[in-house]
Amino acid sequence: MRISLPLSETPFSNPIMASRSSSLMWFRKGLRIHDNPALEYASKGSKFVYPLFVIDPHYMEPDPNAFSPGSSRAGLNRIRFLLESLVDLDLSLKKLGSRLLILKGDPSEVVVRCLKEWNVNKLCFEYDTDPYYQALDEKVKDYASTAGIEVFSPVSHTLFNPAEVIQKNGGKPPLSYQSFLKVAGQPLWASAPLTISLPLLSPVGDVGSCEISEVPTVEELGYRDCEQDELTPFRGGESEALKRLRESIRDKEWVANFEKPKGDPSAYLKPATTVLSPYLKFGCLSSRYFYQCLIDVYKNVKKHTSPPVSLVGQLMWRDFFYTVAFATPNFDRMKGNRICKQIPWSNDDELLAAWREARTGYPWIDAIMVQLRKWGWMHHLARHCVACFLTRGDLFVHWEKGRDVFERLLIDSDWEINNGNWLWLSCSSFFYQYNRIYSPVSFGKKYDPNGNYIRHFLPVLKDMPKEYIYEPWAAPLSIQTKAKCIIGKDYPKPVVSHDSASKECRRKMGEAYALNQRLNGQVSEDDLKTLRRKLEGEENQESRGRRLRQKRLAD
């Protein structure tokens, strides 16, 4: 594992060599000027600086077979957010006398070609723990090493270097939040000022035969026929990130008293959180700068909340998941993942589609899924509800299926955090109280008894009386008619009965946990198949018994 040298230890002392040098600044995440050590180092002593972003077809090319507009990896909302972030970065670079160079193709091949054509001496990019970028980086580093090109790849996307935390913990990641806090301690850089602005950058040199373009529009990427009836209200870019940060920390009392998981998941006109997660995901906002701003607020208030519930605590959660993911093979799947309980999840595609397409018949769940599709974002408690409903709460569908939907549709989808949260919410890892289930009826009702959130995202129910807005199937036909929403026709009946489905899920989770304990976590595919057959047999027997009881009552 290669760990970057601190800036002060990176050799570049020869003024003659420095005056002739060219630097390539490869942007991937870290789409910002403030607190960008890779960009700062690229600008030092360089005659030319080439700021580069590569349009990766793997991430950006339209996929006509996907369930929503977008590529094979990302929904259109996230692609649009990324493009807006690139436009903003280009404007910031132009103010510094530079510009963003856009090329298209396999990133590792494009970067190697640029290193050759532009006679680059220094390659700088922010370190990334995502397995996809790890593989790309190794290819580029291997070429740079053989070509004698200096590589500077600092850790600045997270508060801590995951490799260093793992090393301090004896070579293993801390698997609980509290143990992570204890091992990580305080960030070493926290007391030093961060570089928030840069002077003028060195100009871009000759780009040779490379066909440089401006930041493309979604239409230019091939998304000409994609229509969305409502776009995400959140705009990408560093400028927007810093503006949102200033607005968030202006209310010092709110910052001091912030306490997750509290907050109103039904608040959509003015969300009950900072909504800074997509800006952190793309690195439009430095998590380190955010951390320092929060510490400054804490210094000026009498008391404040602490981790794990505080805003600083949320940044620590982010680093916790990054650290565990970095050291856990197969972190993004159940099979072969040593920290994941092996559970015989269902692969019911019909139930998955009903959940994904907001057709579960539970307005609270469906409204959240509509917000996800339209906005690419929803409150963390809303995410908890729909993830629990899909997996251990009601439908018992594999968490990987839900993870894939979130990974596609969320503008803040982050490989480490998305997988970590699905492991948590399905009670596959980190959290094991599977009996604690979110009600798809009563949970939302306590925040929004009138159902305004549901009425906004499910307008088919906008005229349903508040007494039935969370359970429209219970409304008499006369009321359904008056509300112009007949259940089973205009809006679906529930796909399951929550009471019986949640009871069944608890039973299955209990059996699966017992199997994992009995086999000390060494559960094979055959063991899962055997348990699945047993559970399905018991479920069929229970269904037959229920039908017989209903028949007797009818007689």
Side-chain angles (χ1 to χ4, degrees), residues 8 12 33 42 62 107 120 145 166 200 263 268 295 301 344 395 436-437 540 555:
S8 60
F12 226 107
I33 303 299
V120 168
S145 177
I166 292 160
L200 291 178
Y268 64 94
I295 296 301
V301 294
L395 304 186
R436 293 176 60 183
I437 291 173
N540 291 335
D555 293 342

Side-chain angles (χ1 to χ4, degrees), residues 68-69 76 80 223-231 373:
S68 72
L76 191 53
R80 185 179 280 110
Y223 297 98
R224 291 186 177 87
D225 303 321
C226 297
E227 291 185 7
Q228 287 181 282
D229 57 351
E230 187 176 350
L231 300 177
R373 184 181 287 265

Side-chain angles (χ1 to χ4, degrees), residues 2-21:
R2 201 173 302 177
I3 300 174
S4 305
L5 292 169
L7 292 178
S8 60
E9 295 178 22
T10 307
F12 226 107
S13 55
N14 188 324
I16 298 174
M17 287 295 293
S19 67
R20 296 175 182 170
S21 71

